[in-house]
Amino acid sequence: MNIIIKRTQSIKHFVEGHLYIDEKLICDTLENSRSCLSSGIYAIRIMKCKQHRRNVICVESLGDEVTQNDKCHKCKLKELVFNNTVMPQFCPQIKVGNGVYGRHDGSIIVGTLAAPGCIVSPRSAFDLIFERIRKNIERGKCVSLKICN
C-alpha cells in the first residue's frame, strides 16, 4: 500500500497537504513547519506506544532499527496523556489532533482542513487510515509513505 502526502503550502508555522492512498484522496494533513519530516520515502508501522498506551501509526526512516515486539520503549511514561500531549522526543506519527502549534515531535495531523492551521473531523480520518494500514499489515503487505513538496 502506498500512502502519499503532497504538501500544498507552507504558511508561517504550519505546512498543509493532502493524503492519498493508492492515488485516491483520503484527507488533508497538517504539520508543524519547524519539525516536519523532509521529503522522501518512509516505512509505516503500527506499534504500541508506551506514552499513549495504545497502538499508533509510526513513521520510520527506512534505515531505522526495527523492533521485533512492535512496542516502543523510547519515552518515559507520563501520568496524564491526551491526544494533543506533546511527545518528549522526536517521534513522527500520523495522529489525531486539531492543530500543530505545540507539536515539535514530527507529527502529521489528519482530517479536513477548516481554516489555515485548523483541522476538523480528525478522528474519522484517522480511524479510516488506521484500519486500512492495519489490514494491509495483517495481510503481509508493505506499507510505505512518500512525502512530496
Side-chain angles (χ1 to χ4, degrees):
M1 182 168 96
N2 297 317
I3 301 172
I4 299 173
I5 293 179
K6 292 183 181 176
R7 293 178 175 148
T8 56
Q9 63 180 341
S10 178
I11 304 172
K12 205 169 185 176
H13 299 295
F14 55 88
V15 178
E16 297 174 352
H18 302 294
L19 186 139
Y20 298 84
I21 295 180
D22 296 329
E23 299 180 16
K24 181 181 175 191
L25 178 64
I26 302 298
C27 64
D28 298 315
T29 63
L30 197 59
E31 301 171 73
N32 188 315
S33 61
R34 296 178 187 162
S35 64
C36 63
L37 296 170
S38 58
S39 297
I41 299 174
Y42 298 89
I44 295 288
R45 295 190 49 226
I46 292 179
M47 70 181 359
K48 181 85 171 187
C49 177
K50 184 177 178 183
Q51 190 71 16
H52 289 286
R53 297 177 181 93
R54 66 173 183 263
N55 288 333
V56 295
I57 302 171
C58 290
V59 179
E60 299 178 337
S61 295
L62 294 177
D64 286 351
E65 181 181 324
V66 176
T67 57
Q68 296 298 323
N69 59 2
D70 291 334
K71 291 184 181 176
C72 179
H73 297 289
K74 296 177 183 176
C75 303
K76 292 182 180 178
L77 194 60
K78 288 185 178 178
E79 287 294 319
L80 294 173
V81 179
F82 302 101
N83 284 336
N84 287 323
T85 300
V86 177
M87 298 298 284
Q89 63 181 11
F90 190 78
C91 184
Q93 298 176 4
I94 296 175
K95 55 173 53 170
V96 177
N98 57 5
V100 295
Y101 293 102
R103 297 187 186 273
H104 302 287
D105 55 4
S107 298
I108 301 168
I109 308 298
V110 294
T112 303
L113 197 62
C118 182
I119 290 277
V120 296
S121 303
R123 176 56 65 187
S124 59
F126 176 81
D127 289 345
L128 173 71
I129 295 166
F130 185 87
E131 280 304 308
R132 290 187 71 173
I133 291 171
R134 183 186 63 78
K135 287 178 182 177
N136 275 277
I137 290 173
E138 283 179 358
R139 294 176 184 145
K141 296 182 180 178
C142 179
V143 180
S144 65
L145 170 67
K146 180 179 181 182
I147 298 177
C148 307
N149 282 338

